[in-house]
Amino acid sequence: MNHKQPRRGKPNYKPPLSYKVLTPLYDLVIAALTRERVWRKAFIHEISPQTSDHILDIGSGTGSLALALHKAAPGIRYVGVDPDEDAVRRARKKTAKLKSSIRFEVAFFSASQAYFDEPPRKIVTSLVLHQVPVTEKQRIIQEVFQLLPVGGAIYIADYGRQSSWLMRLLFRLTVQLLDGVEDTQPNADGIIPVLLEQSGFRHVGEPDRIASATGVISIYAGEKLEQAEEGS
């Protein structure tokens, strides 16, 4: 329930919770309805941030993941990119008192941008991909693969396959009611690991699945073990 990344051509996105007026409620709603403490702890465990890491966060929202990463490894270099000015303003305010190298940019993610002086070895995104069209899910994952160096990894926390009738019902009554069916259903059908493998990632896994009042949130990871072939 985060924001849309740009479609081909004219950028387009949704603000947190899909409506700008709801942005002030975003952190409260996510904490109350998604078991945020549980899935975020599992996500941080999978990312395993180290003090020497350069971490890029796609769709960084109001900065909650930045705070969690800093708490786990205060020395990390972190850049969060998000097209929503309101969300970025809140993220900057939330992290203003930290002694850190955390930085936020109001922008759409693109592999052509230099976010650090060297390519980040870890790229993360949470509660973003379920809101974007399949073509945009593909673009984001493919460009992450392009940007990562060999040995780098992608980490995703997002709505995954809703395999039980209860989780499908909860997902329909919450996420799909708010964000619509067209963009969210592919996630519920399990498209994310498929896209990761199609983009070239290896050792693609789903190390954790957390059931919540809004459906199952999955943790995904994949490694880049070789460069993409020319023209692919």
Side-chain angles (χ1 to χ4, degrees):
M1 288 183 284
N2 211 313
H3 349 298
K4 280 195 174 184
Q5 299 293 323
R7 298 177 188 266
R8 300 286 184 182
K10 187 176 181 180
N12 181 34
Y13 73 94
K14 286 184 178 180
L17 297 181
S18 296
Y19 299 96
K20 194 174 183 66
V21 69
L22 298 180
T23 298
L25 301 177
Y26 181 76
D27 288 347
L28 179 62
V29 170
I30 294 301
L33 297 182
T34 72
R35 298 180 68 201
E36 181 186 22
R37 186 174 298 179
V38 177
W39 69 257
R40 203 174 288 285
K41 181 179 179 180
F43 196 34
I44 295 297
H45 175 77
E46 189 63 27
I47 297 168
S48 185
Q50 308 297 313
T51 55
S52 60
D53 279 342
H54 293 52
I55 298 179
L56 176 65
D57 184 3
I58 300 171
S60 49
T62 59
S64 295
L65 182 56
L67 280 177
L69 288 167
H70 173 79
K71 183 177 180 180
I76 63 167
R77 293 183 62 188
Y78 167 100
V79 174
V81 291
D82 197 292
D84 191 279
E85 292 186 12
D86 220 14
V88 170
R89 189 179 305 113
R90 290 174 179 277
R92 288 171 175 164
K93 183 177 180 181
K94 191 183 292 186
T95 58
K97 295 183 179 180
L98 298 179
K99 295 181 179 180
S100 71
S101 61
I102 288 174
R103 187 174 87 251
F104 296 97
E105 296 183 6
V106 179
F108 291 103
F109 164 69
S110 171
S112 65
Q113 299 300 311
Y115 297 102
F116 300 97
D117 51 10
E118 60 185 62
R121 295 186 66 83
K122 295 178 180 179
I123 298 181
V124 304
T125 184
S126 55
L127 301 188
V128 172
L129 293 178
H130 74 279
Q131 261 200 338
V132 305
V134 170
T135 54
E136 193 60 16
K137 300 181 207 291
Q138 292 171 323
R139 183 196 72 84
I140 291 169
I141 291 173
Q142 288 170 356
E143 292 201 22
V144 167
F145 187 84
Q146 293 172 24
L147 182 58
L148 283 170
V150 172
I154 184 173
Y155 301 93
I156 299 168
D158 213 321
Y159 291 98
R161 182 182 295 279
Q162 306 299 313
S163 54
S164 74
W165 70 267
L166 177 58
M167 290 300 107
R168 289 194 296 271
L169 177 62
L170 291 173
F171 189 68
R172 177 61 60 91
L173 295 177
T174 55
V175 176
Q176 292 189 318
L177 187 64
L178 190 65
D179 297 331
V181 173
E182 182 179 0
D183 297 338
T184 58
Q185 190 60 43
N187 276 59
D189 293 337
I191 197 174
I192 297 302
V194 175
L195 295 180
L196 288 170
E197 291 181 346
Q198 288 177 349
S199 296
F201 285 100
R202 298 295 177 257
H203 299 160
V204 173
E206 186 182 13
D208 214 338
R209 289 169 53 83
I210 295 92
S212 78
T214 58
V216 171
I217 294 175
S218 294
I219 309 298
Y220 299 108
E223 297 179 58
K224 179 175 178 177
L225 301 183
E226 57 188 17
Q227 293 291 353
E229 295 181 5
E230 290 294 329
S232 63

